[in-house]
């Protein structure tokens, strides 16, 4: 066995040096200097350093309050301690075909008609980013690129059919050099319905690397392939009626628990879905506990939006089963009438799960156990516990509101934090190459500034 090496040029025991007052003062000064320099470096460090001069792009402070007494706060790990984004928003006149995806082939569909209802997030996010302090007009400095399109609304209002939507998206993408440069990795698309990116039939070819904002998660329970990827995509809140989310007097006010007529309610169409049909049957058996009226969405007996929320607020628990897909707007609406949401959708995915503890503000019950057992369980929960859940939900519901980012808490702020986590300093695709002097070229060795649209796509 080998022996440990020794230093023979130096004795093992050395004479200790006497410690004078001068040495002590010097040591204290060194410690103090090190402390202040460390704090200085910590304060000047930014999580996403600019490739150009740091002084030309000052760091913008986050508008989210990092108050750890709140129910949520954005974690610094993976996000940074402040928002530092540069997002380029494509202009509707910049790309041929983009207007068709926003206003239809005839240009007759207005954004105001698309901003309301279940799919309004496609318009709201666009409008908020246009006014964002994180917006840049310089493509060269952008971290991310936002592609505005109201395709779901346009389709529902007859502005484009499925084939036209597909063709128009491909046409639009072929005119975007920066999309080609990154393979779409730094481009953001909003698909606000249960169909998600499947609305664009060829999404798997063209958008399989892009960032998709959608209220819907994994759809493999309905389709062979899910358009949602937990690594790159972001779950966003549904679009709650502005009359319920605005500051001040809302459309209707919550009722005290003691004045609510029902234990629970389900307000929605059956749509031939098993869970919904079971709830309607359960309401027929226990009409004093569960309200589930046959809703009319047209004709003289149509339930108006105010009447809808008046019904919704009249129960302690709002049941949220799946419909055509796993997400449900009713989950978000329930927070604004201060009714505890009960998720009856096993595949449902919820936004901002890194900061919100949903077990504190809602209940998720197996959809395979819809029956008297569910009502018995809900009835066993004391009002005191319900009040606590409602109070915590009152703190969090600002994250479901598509308000300006200047608000201390809003859906757009949450989305910006999630987008920050997607930023990468370098993007690589199968069709981009680079040379020794950092020049980016295509397969024909043409430098990026000289790429001419339309460009071939995968």
């Amino acid at each position: 066995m080998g022996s440990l090496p020794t230093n023979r040029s130096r004795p093992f025991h050395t004479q200790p040096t006497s410690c004078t007052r001068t040495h002590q003062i010097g040591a204290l000064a060194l410690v103090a200097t090190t402390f202040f320099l460390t704090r200085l470096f910590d304060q000047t460090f930014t999580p996403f350093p600019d490739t150009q001069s740091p002084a030309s792009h000052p760091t913008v402070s986050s508008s989210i309050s990092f108050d750890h007494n709140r129910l949520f706060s954005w974690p610094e790990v993976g996000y940074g301690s402040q928002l530092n984004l540069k997002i380029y928003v494509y202009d509707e006149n910049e790309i041929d075909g983009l207007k068709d995806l926003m206003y239809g082939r005839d240009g007759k569909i207005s954004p105001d008609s698309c901003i309301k209802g279940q799919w309004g997030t496609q318009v709201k996010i666009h409008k908020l980013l246009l006014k964002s302090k994180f917006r840049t007009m310089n493509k060269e400095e952008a971290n991310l690129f936002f592609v505005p399109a109201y395709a779901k609304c346009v389709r529902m209002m007859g502005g484009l059919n499925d084939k036209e939507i597909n063709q128009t998206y491909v046409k639009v993408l072929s005119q975007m050099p920066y999309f080609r440069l990154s393979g779409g990795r730094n481009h953001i698309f909003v698909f606000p319905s249960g169909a998600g990116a499947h609305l664009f039939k060829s999404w798997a070819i063209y958008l399989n690397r892009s960032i998709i904002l959608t209220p819907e998660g994994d759809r493999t329970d309905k389709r062979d392939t899910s358009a949602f990827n937990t690594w790159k995509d972001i779950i966003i809140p549904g679009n709650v009626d502005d009359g319920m989310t605005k500051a001040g007097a809302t459309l209707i006010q919550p009722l005290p628990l003691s004045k609510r007529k029902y234990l629970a309610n389900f307000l929605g169409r059956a749509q031939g879905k098993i869970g919904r049909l079971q709830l309607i049957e359960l309401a027929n058996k226990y009409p004093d506990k569960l309200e589930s009226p046959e809703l009319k969405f047209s004709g003289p007996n149509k339930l108006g939006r105010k009447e809808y929320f008046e019904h919704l607020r009249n129960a302690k628990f709002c049941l949220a089963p799946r419909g055509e897909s796993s997400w449900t707007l009713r989950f978000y609406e329930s927070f604004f009438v201060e009714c505890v949401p009960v998720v009856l959708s096993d595949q449902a995915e919820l936004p901002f799960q890194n900061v919100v503890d949903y077990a504190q503000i809602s209940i998720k019950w197996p959809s395979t156990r819809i029956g008297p057992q569910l009502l018995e369980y809900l009835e066993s929960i004391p009002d005191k516990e319900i009040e606590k859940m409602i109070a915590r939900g009152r703190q969090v519901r600002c994250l479901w509101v598509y308000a300006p980012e200047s608000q201390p808490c809003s859906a757009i702020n949450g989305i910006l934090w999630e987008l920050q986590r997607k930023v990468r300093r370098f993007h690589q695709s199968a069709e981009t190459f680079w040379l020794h002097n950092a020049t980016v070229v295509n397969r024909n060795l043409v430098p990026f500034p000289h790429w001419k649209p339309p460009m071939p796509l995968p």
Side-chain angles (χ1 to χ4, degrees):
M1 293 179 62
S3 60
L4 293 173
T6 58
N7 188 344
R8 298 185 182 278
S9 63
R10 183 176 178 183
F12 187 76
H13 298 286
T14 58
Q15 185 69 25
T17 304
S18 60
C19 183
T20 65
R21 185 172 183 81
T22 302
H23 289 115
Q24 292 173 340
I25 294 173
L28 287 173
L30 179 61
V31 170
T33 302
T34 302
F35 172 77
F36 286 114
L37 284 174
T38 302
R39 292 297 301 273
L40 178 63
F41 287 132
D42 286 344
Q43 291 172 5
T44 57
F45 175 76
T46 56
F48 297 106
D50 197 3
T51 54
Q52 302 176 26
S53 170
S56 63
H57 304 293
T59 300
V60 183
S61 298
S62 164
S63 55
I64 290 285
S65 173
F66 280 77
D67 181 0
H68 294 286
N69 292 321
R70 291 175 63 89
L71 194 62
F72 65 91
S73 61
W74 252 263
E76 292 192 23
V77 177
Y79 293 86
S81 59
Q82 54 204 354
L83 286 172
N84 188 21
L85 288 168
K86 297 180 183 69
I87 302 175
Y88 182 85
V89 181
Y90 284 101
D91 185 84
E92 61 186 49
N93 297 308
E94 180 180 356
I95 306 292
D96 184 24
L98 203 51
K99 278 189 172 182
D100 293 347
L101 290 174
M102 298 172 71
Y103 314 122
R105 70 178 79 84
D106 300 323
K108 295 182 179 180
I109 298 173
S110 70
D112 289 341
S113 63
C114 292
I115 204 168
K116 299 176 182 179
Q118 197 173 25
W119 310 298
T121 52
Q122 57 195 345
V123 182
K124 288 184 175 180
I125 293 173
H126 179 209
K127 288 191 171 186
L128 289 168
L129 288 180
L130 285 175
K131 298 178 181 179
S132 175
K133 61 187 174 185
F134 301 107
R135 182 188 178 191
T136 178
M137 306 301 290
N138 184 356
K139 291 179 183 176
E140 292 185 4
E141 72 172 12
N143 306 123
L144 300 167
F145 294 78
F146 181 81
V147 183
Y150 313 152
K152 178 64 178 181
C153 176
V154 166
R155 177 182 178 274
M156 296 299 291
M157 298 184 71
L160 292 175
N161 59 38
D162 289 346
K163 183 178 180 180
E164 290 171 324
I165 289 173
N166 202 71
Q167 292 173 338
T168 307
Y169 263 114
V170 175
K171 176 183 177 180
V172 165
L173 298 179
S174 71
Q175 298 173 70
M176 295 178 169
Y178 282 87
F179 183 88
R180 179 66 163 173
L181 182 65
S182 68
R185 286 171 167 83
N186 55 2
H187 279 57
I188 307 164
F189 298 83
V190 182
F191 290 100
S193 72
H198 290 280
L199 184 68
F200 173 22
K201 299 296 183 182
S202 299
W203 71 266
I205 299 173
Y206 302 105
L207 303 187
N208 60 353
R209 297 174 181 85
S210 300
I211 300 168
I212 294 172
L213 308 185
T214 175
E216 184 66 82
D218 188 357
R219 287 298 310 278
T220 50
D221 61 315
K222 295 284 287 184
R223 300 174 183 269
D224 294 335
T225 306
S226 177
F228 183 81
N229 184 307
T230 54
W231 176 76
K232 66 181 183 65
D233 300 327
I234 297 171
I235 296 287
I236 61 174
N239 182 38
V240 179
D241 191 295
D242 290 343
M244 294 301 297
T245 63
K246 65 183 179 182
T250 55
L251 192 62
I252 64 104
Q253 294 294 314
L255 291 173
L257 285 187
S258 59
K259 293 187 177 181
R260 301 189 190 188
K261 183 176 180 180
Y262 299 100
L263 172 67
N265 62 35
F266 163 59
L267 300 178
R269 293 172 293 174
Q271 296 179 303
K273 306 304 176 186
I274 295 177
R276 294 181 171 216
L277 291 171
Q278 288 174 328
L279 288 176
I280 293 172
E281 182 182 347
L282 194 63
N284 290 333
K285 290 182 178 179
Y286 302 93
D288 57 329
K289 295 181 181 180
L290 175 60
E291 182 191 24
S292 185
E294 184 180 352
L295 296 187
K296 302 292 184 180
F297 290 88
S298 61
N301 296 322
K302 176 183 177 181
L303 197 65
R305 62 173 187 156
K306 184 176 181 181
E307 290 78 16
Y308 170 80
F309 284 109
E310 284 176 344
H311 276 273
L312 199 65
R313 71 174 178 173
N314 207 19
K316 298 177 181 179
F317 299 95
C318 291
L319 308 185
R322 67 170 293 137
E324 288 294 335
S325 61
S326 60
W327 88 281
T328 168
L329 185 62
R330 199 165 294 102
F331 173 83
Y332 303 100
E333 292 173 333
S334 65
F335 286 92
F336 296 93
V337 295
E338 300 188 358
C339 169
V340 176
V342 180
V343 181
L344 299 171
S345 178
D346 301 350
Q347 286 84 17
E349 296 189 47
L350 303 170
F352 316 138
Q353 292 188 46
N354 285 330
V355 298
V356 177
D357 183 354
Y358 284 96
Q360 299 289 321
I361 59 175
S362 64
I363 293 168
K364 186 180 181 185
W365 183 265
S367 62
T368 52
R369 290 185 175 272
I370 294 176
Q373 183 184 5
L374 169 60
L375 297 182
E376 291 170 8
Y377 164 70
L378 296 177
E379 204 166 22
S380 71
I381 302 174
D383 281 359
K384 185 178 180 180
E385 293 301 316
I386 299 173
E387 292 281 11
K388 287 180 181 178
M389 296 184 77
I390 289 173
R392 291 191 288 259
R394 200 178 292 129
Q395 287 183 275
V396 169
R397 67 187 181 189
C398 52
L399 285 172
W400 319 150
V401 181
Y402 285 88
E405 66 194 39
S406 57
Q407 298 293 320
C409 169
S410 67
I412 194 64
N413 272 313
I415 291 169
L416 287 170
W417 275 106
E418 295 300 325
L419 285 173
Q420 176 152 287
R421 204 176 187 195
K422 310 300 180 183
V423 170
R424 285 182 278 173
R425 185 165 184 168
F426 188 79
H427 294 273
Q428 175 188 352
S429 77
E431 296 299 325
T432 54
F433 307 85
W434 53 92
L435 307 180
H436 75 285
N437 58 359
T439 300
V440 175
V441 298
N442 64 12
R443 189 171 293 278
N444 295 320
L445 303 183
V446 176
F448 174 68
H450 301 298
W451 292 8
K452 302 294 183 184
M455 284 153 292
L457 294 170

